[in-house]
């Protein structure tokens, strides 16, 4: 019994799951990347009316990094529709309440305002830290490279690597002492 | 004076407008307003019909541009899967003498992914050849010699 090219079609239209680490990343820049994957723009079969987007799992959204003075200056607005129903908060205030809200909000803004917007947004899974449930981690098949390159800190090296690093001079007892 | 009278006789007459044919046309075009009465289809719906025809004209004019953009986006995403830069890809294919247009490349990338992979490889090879060409003499049968 042969399925012909059915398997190929299933593979082509299957939804993939991607993982992104939002640690020290700009929320807006990361959201443009994620929104493309949620829409399926990265695929050659992309069409605006067909739902071909992938799932994206974002971890460490608590340590997202705005540049400049945006934590104080950037405002998020809401209005209940009634009189005096205006809500206005800085990014820092919002981040204190919910550490994954900013990331979700920025991605939602990047998605096009069409009928598929809510559906595509439901395929975004944001977590404050790296504690992701196993049933999600089982699906993940790829990792996205975030826009900003993270430099390696001194604490990221092991003691062996630090010892192996060539030293130009060694400190004696009288180093910088007067 | 006689000439003036004659010009009045041979003037360009406007076409005779027949109300009956106009109503027939509106009935035909507003057929999908099934929830409205026949009278309303001729009267009220004619505004919507006119707007629809205007939009149709706009869409017809914009369609080639939209199609071109759509195909470019698809080709970009297809090329990026193999780690090739889209603009460089076009240049390299030209130097390799590949005459496939954007639509055909799209079709290949979707239905014949292996063929498309070889085409991206060809583009990369021709790019390397162009650099080598400045330093060493290439053999007669090379990728870029087809042009």
């Amino acid at each position: 019994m042969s399925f012909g090219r059915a398997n190929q079609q299933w593979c082509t239209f299957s939804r993939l799951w991607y993982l992104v680490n939002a640690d020290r990343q700009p929320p807006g820049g990361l959201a443009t990347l994620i929104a493309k994957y949620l829409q399926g723009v990265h695929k050659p079969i992309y069409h605006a009316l067909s739902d071909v987007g992938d799932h994206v799992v974002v971890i460490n959204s608590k340590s997202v990094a705005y540049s400049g003075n945006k934590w104080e200056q950037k405002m998020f607005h809401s209005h209940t529709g009634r009189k005096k129903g205006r809500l206005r908060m800085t990014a820092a205030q919002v981040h204190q309440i919910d550490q994954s809200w900013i990331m979700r909000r920025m991605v939602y803004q990047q998605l096009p305002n069409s009928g598929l917007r809510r559906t595509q947004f439901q395929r975004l899974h944001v977590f404050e830290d790296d504690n992701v449930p196993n049933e999600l981690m089982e699906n993940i098949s790829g990792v996205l490279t975030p826009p900003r390159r993270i430099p390696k800190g001194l604490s990221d090296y092991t003691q062996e690597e630090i010892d192996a690093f060539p030293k130009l001079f060694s400190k004696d007892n009288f180093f910088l002492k007067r | 004076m006689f000439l003036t009278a004659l010009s009045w006789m041979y003037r360009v007459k406007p076409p005779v407008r027949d109300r009956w044919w106009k109503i027939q046309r509106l009935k035909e075009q507003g057929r999908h307003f099934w929830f409205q009465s026949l009278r309303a289809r001729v009267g009220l719906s004619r505004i919507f019909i006119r707007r629809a025809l205007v939009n149709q004209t706009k869409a017809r004019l914009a369609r080639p541009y939209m199609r071109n953009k759509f195909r470019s986006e698809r080709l970009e995403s297809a090329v990026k899967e193999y780690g090739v830069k889209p603009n460089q890809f076009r240049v390299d294919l030209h130097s390799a003498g590949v005459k496939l247009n954007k639509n055909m490349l799209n079709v290949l990338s979707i239905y014949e992914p292996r063929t498309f992979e070889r085409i991206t490889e060809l583009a990369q090879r021709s790019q390397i050849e162009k650099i080598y060409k400045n330093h060493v003499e290439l053999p007669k049968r090379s990728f870029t010699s087809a042009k």
Side-chain angles (χ1 to χ4, degrees), chain A residues 5 41-46, chain B residues 70 74 77-78 81 109-111:
Chain A
R5 298 179 77 179
V41 178
H42 64 293
K43 294 180 180 181
I45 55 165
Y46 168 73
Chain B
F70 172 63
R74 273 192 166 183
S77 57
E81 281 186 356
S109 69
I110 295 167
Y111 295 105

Side-chain angles (χ1 to χ4, degrees), chain A residues 12-139:
Chain A
T12 311
F13 287 93
S14 62
R15 296 193 198 287
L16 301 181
W17 286 63
Y18 291 100
L19 186 76
V20 196
N21 192 356
D23 183 22
R24 285 170 276 175
Q25 295 298 327
L30 195 60
T32 46
L33 176 76
I34 292 168
K36 277 185 182 177
Y37 279 82
L38 291 177
Q39 288 173 63
V41 178
H42 64 293
K43 294 180 180 181
I45 55 165
Y46 168 73
H47 192 269
L49 301 182
S50 56
D51 196 6
V52 291
D54 290 337
H55 288 260
V56 178
V57 179
V58 184
I59 56 170
N60 291 328
S61 72
K62 68 179 176 189
S63 50
V64 104
Y66 268 121
S67 62
N69 195 19
K70 290 199 195 79
W71 283 118
E72 304 301 326
Q73 279 182 349
K74 191 171 174 56
M75 307 298 278
F76 289 101
H77 303 271
S78 173
H79 205 287
T80 58
R82 290 183 176 272
K83 240 184 174 185
K84 299 176 185 176
R86 187 190 187 191
L87 189 65
R88 196 158 174 269
M89 290 166 92
T90 61
Q93 287 170 336
V94 172
H95 202 62
Q96 278 178 354
I97 296 167
D98 188 355
Q99 291 177 332
S100 64
W101 191 86
I102 286 179
M103 205 56 245
R104 277 189 275 119
R105 175 70 184 167
M106 297 310 284
V107 173
Y108 190 76
Q109 283 180 349
Q110 294 283 342
L111 290 172
N113 191 2
S114 64
L116 286 172
R117 193 183 199 178
R118 304 289 176 98
T119 321
Q120 286 163 353
F121 183 65
Q122 280 178 344
R123 303 209 176 98
L124 176 74
H125 314 274
V126 186
F127 294 95
E128 294 169 6
D129 42 16
D130 49 3
N131 295 331
V132 185
N134 274 332
E135 56 263 32
L136 296 193
M137 284 304 280
E138 283 168 4
N139 300 322

Side-chain angles (χ1 to χ4, degrees), chain B:
Chain B
M1 190 182 166
F2 288 119
L3 285 173
T4 321
L6 280 174
S7 71
W8 171 250
M9 212 169 78
Y10 292 112
R11 73 187 191 280
V12 180
K13 291 173 187 171
V16 180
R17 287 175 185 169
D18 194 341
R19 180 73 186 154
W20 189 82
W21 280 112
K22 192 179 180 183
I23 291 168
Q24 293 308 308
R25 181 166 56 78
L26 285 169
K27 277 181 191 170
E28 182 66 28
Q29 289 172 340
R31 189 184 277 173
H32 57 285
F33 290 103
W34 52 269
F35 47 86
Q36 288 186 345
S37 66
L38 206 62
R39 177 70 207 144
R41 265 181 237 178
V42 176
L44 297 174
S45 305
R46 76 173 192 279
I47 299 161
F48 302 118
I49 289 169
R50 192 195 300 142
R51 186 46 48 196
L53 290 171
V54 168
N55 285 338
Q56 196 183 21
T57 310
K58 278 184 189 172
R60 189 171 58 245
L61 295 174
R63 197 171 298 137
Y65 299 97
M66 286 153 64
R67 193 195 295 140
N68 203 7
K69 193 189 168 194
F70 172 63
R71 284 178 181 168
S72 303
E73 281 176 354
R74 273 192 166 183
L75 187 62
E76 268 184 32
S77 57
V79 160
K80 278 178 186 171
E81 281 186 356
Y82 300 105
V84 183
K85 290 176 184 174
N87 293 342
Q88 190 64 39
F89 178 71
R90 297 292 295 174
V91 174
D92 295 338
L93 279 196
H94 181 70
S95 61
V98 177
K99 298 286 164 65
L100 294 172
N101 63 3
K102 218 181 282 177
N103 183 32
M104 213 59 233
L105 287 169
N106 274 331
V107 171
L108 285 177
S109 69
I110 295 167
Y111 295 105
E112 304 288 340
R114 288 181 193 171
T115 313
F116 187 75
E117 195 183 350
R118 291 290 90 77
I119 288 171
T120 54
E121 200 183 321
L122 171 64
Q124 283 171 323
R125 298 292 297 179
S126 65
Q127 193 187 354
I128 293 164
E129 267 186 14
K130 269 193 281 181
I131 298 163
Y132 265 93
K133 198 165 60 181
N134 298 327
H135 306 290
V136 293
E137 196 180 344
L138 292 176
K140 281 183 181 176
R141 284 173 60 81
S142 61
F143 292 119
T144 48
S145 68
K147 192 190 164 190

